[in-house]
Amino acid sequence: MSRLAAFERRVPAVLLARRNLARTRLRSGLAALGILIGVFAVATLGIFGTVLELSATNELGGIGNQVIVSPNADSGLETLTSRDVQAVERVAEGRGEVVPLKTDGTVVRSGGDSTFAQLYGLGRPRALFEAESGTLPETHRQGAIVGREVAARLDLQVGSVLEIESNRYRVIAVLAESDSISPIRPDNAVVLPPEVFVQPSFDQVVVQADSGADAQAIAAGVDERLNARERRVSVFELGSVLERINEFFALLNGFLIGLAAVSLVVAGVSIFNVMLMSVNERRAEIGVLRAVGVHRREVLSMLVVEAGLLGVVGGFLGVVLSALVTLGLWAFVDQIALDVILVPRNGLTLLGAFAFGVVVSLLSGAYPAWKAASERPVDALRS
């Protein structure tokens, strides 16, 4: 005896419900198809929203650890003093690396060609940049580090010589292309030691924190320490950009799931209609069952189980189809990584969509079942 047969023997309502559904296969199949489509829509749109959110977070995640401290122009300040930098270093101690920065714009010449470039003066380039060729020094004391676009326009490579305001510098490294949205853009920049700048003060301080939580703590600490009496500095924590992006995706995800849930409710109406028609057609049969002693609760259970079976079958197939489509997305779209698909949230989305489909089915079948079970056997047999 199979496990299903053994289960149906212990719970006769399941056996009766399955046989009743088999008698009207087409009608039952269409009702289950409605649940399948609804569960598929809810699960797939929910997973797509999660995949979009996690993919965007992975692409932009690195900037969430940066804090940019700039002088507050509204207070008439244009630069940061050494005391400001020291205050930032004390706040960030043990939580990240502080990189004071001098900025300017300049014309860069090499081999008869020239181009305009952003000029950065900083002593610890490794904290902010990566090298495509050459080696970034731990402490930048001599030579020039050029961005990828500057190197391409002037045909520069490691060992080449460039000229800035009559001063000649040898290229020690070419920076890798940057795709972040950080205000520090190295592609069109030349990085020099801060000592070559005439100005003694700094234009910005960039803090590369160890984590997003450290970045938030540093931003709050710098704001409390430097802006206690007057607003001397502007503190921009790039993690706040990620929070806005995540909020947008959460809103979009909720909207898509809500839209898909409407289709599931429509499928529930279909099941309600199927169960109502089935009950009307079987009034005499139900009347006989009640007349020979079948309890009202057993009739109610049989009809509710019928609605539940439609929900279970449709929901299961909808979940399987949604999982296959999601795996197809990973297989055919290069930008989608497997680690943003195999996350617990997507599993919960599949489970929630399945449960929602079953609940909608049970609710849709509850009223027809109650109506049939409540009818007196005499009235049912007269119909």
Side-chain angles (χ1 to χ4, degrees), residues 27-324:
R27 188 190 301 166
S28 302
L30 290 175
L33 180 62
I35 292 295
L36 185 155
I37 294 173
V39 170
F40 169 76
V42 170
T44 304
L45 290 179
I47 290 175
F48 279 12
T50 300
V51 169
L52 282 175
E53 179 184 346
L54 295 180
S55 298
T57 302
N58 286 347
E59 289 292 329
L60 304 175
I63 68 169
N65 297 350
Q66 278 192 1
V67 178
I68 311 294
V69 182
S70 306
N72 183 19
D74 294 338
S75 300
L77 301 175
E78 297 181 350
T79 59
L80 297 172
T81 65
S82 57
R83 294 184 61 182
D84 295 331
V85 175
Q86 290 172 2
V88 175
E89 288 176 338
R90 283 194 289 271
V91 171
E93 187 174 4
R95 294 172 171 166
E97 189 163 2
V98 178
V99 184
L101 191 71
K102 299 178 181 179
T103 62
D104 202 351
T106 189
V107 175
V108 183
R109 295 183 172 83
S110 178
D113 296 325
S114 64
T115 186
F116 184 82
Q118 179 73 43
L119 199 61
Y120 291 134
L122 55 89
R124 292 190 287 274
R126 282 189 185 180
L128 301 181
F129 307 128
E130 293 181 358
E132 182 180 79
S133 60
T135 303
L136 295 178
E138 182 66 31
T139 302
H140 192 189
R141 301 186 187 282
Q142 60 182 359
I145 302 169
V146 297
R148 199 166 183 268
E149 294 180 4
V150 176
R153 287 199 293 268
L154 299 180
D155 193 23
L156 296 172
Q157 53 189 329
V158 176
S160 301
V161 176
L162 57 82
E163 183 178 324
I164 299 175
E165 297 179 354
S166 303
N167 296 313
R168 295 168 65 84
Y169 302 93
R170 187 170 297 281
V171 176
I172 59 174
V174 176
L175 297 177
E177 183 178 10
S178 172
D179 56 357
S180 73
I181 62 172
S182 169
I184 311 301
R185 305 307 300 267
D187 293 343
N188 188 40
V190 175
V191 182
L192 297 176
E195 291 77 13
V196 305
F197 284 66
V198 175
Q199 64 187 70
S201 54
F202 293 94
D203 296 292
Q204 284 181 322
V205 173
V206 181
V207 182
Q208 189 66 42
D210 296 334
S211 66
D214 286 330
Q216 291 179 356
I218 292 170
V222 171
D223 187 61
E224 182 180 358
R225 183 179 289 258
L226 293 181
N227 293 331
R229 294 183 179 178
E230 61 172 331
R231 192 163 186 79
R232 292 179 47 78
V233 299
S234 298
V235 183
F236 180 43
E237 181 208 346
L238 295 179
S240 60
V241 178
L242 290 179
E243 289 182 5
R244 298 292 182 272
I245 292 174
N246 289 335
E247 288 176 0
F248 167 76
F249 277 114
L251 183 64
L252 178 65
N253 206 10
F255 173 75
L256 292 176
I257 291 178
L259 199 62
V262 173
S263 66
L264 196 52
V265 172
V266 172
V269 173
S270 173
I271 289 184
F272 177 84
N273 186 47
V274 167
M275 293 301 299
L276 206 57
M277 291 175 61
S278 177
V279 166
N280 286 334
E281 292 174 355
R282 292 155 52 195
R283 287 183 67 188
E285 175 188 336
I286 294 172
V288 171
L289 290 175
R290 294 294 312 280
V292 299
V294 175
H295 197 272
R296 173 184 171 189
R297 187 178 57 190
E298 294 172 329
V299 174
L300 182 67
S301 300
M302 178 186 67
L303 295 173
V304 169
V305 168
E306 286 185 28
L309 283 179
L310 291 175
V312 169
V313 173
F316 176 75
L317 294 177
V319 165
V320 171
L321 187 59
S322 177
L324 292 176

